[in-house]
Amino acid sequence: SGRYQSGTPGAGLGYDEAKEACDVSCIGCGLCHRSCPSEAIQIEDNCAVIYEADCLSCGNCVVKCPRNAIVDIREFIKK
């Protein structure tokens, strides 16, 4: 579980700062939050925060994100 992460390097910053840090950053729309069956995603300071301990790894958030700002971290972990 918990294999998804927000792709926003500026997490915790305001919207303008996050957009400056990354042009594919979270816009805080809340679609991922509303699609999460375990309520593992909260919107804080206009950025999605995924609480890995609660994540079911269903992938709903990845599909719903209009900015493709959430990624499956397994893609980046070498086996």
Side-chain angles (χ1 to χ4, degrees), residues 23-41:
D23 64 359
V24 220
S25 65
C26 175
I27 57 173
C29 68
L31 289 174
C32 58
H33 168 74
R34 291 190 294 280
S35 72
C36 183
S38 65
E39 299 181 357
I41 304 174

Side-chain angles (χ1 to χ4, degrees), residues 3-46:
R3 67 181 197 220
Y4 297 100
Q5 292 187 352
S6 173
T8 306
L13 299 174
Y15 174 78
D16 292 332
E17 292 87 357
K19 294 294 292 166
E20 188 174 320
C22 176
D23 64 359
V24 220
S25 65
C26 175
I27 57 173
C29 68
L31 289 174
C32 58
H33 168 74
R34 291 190 294 280
S35 72
C36 183
S38 65
E39 299 181 357
I41 304 174
Q42 299 299 317
I43 305 300
E44 299 174 7
D45 295 325
N46 294 320

Side-chain angles (χ1 to χ4, degrees), residues 23-76:
D23 64 359
V24 220
S25 65
C26 175
I27 57 173
C29 68
L31 289 174
C32 58
H33 168 74
R34 291 190 294 280
S35 72
C36 183
S38 65
E39 299 181 357
I41 304 174
Q42 299 299 317
I43 305 300
E44 299 174 7
D45 295 325
N46 294 320
C47 291
V49 176
I50 301 172
Y51 291 91
E52 293 184 44
D54 299 323
C55 179
L56 301 175
S57 297
C58 66
N60 288 350
C61 58
V62 175
V63 174
K64 292 290 183 180
C65 181
R67 301 282 296 166
N68 298 314
I70 300 174
V71 296
D72 183 342
I73 61 173
R74 292 181 306 168
E75 295 176 23
F76 304 101

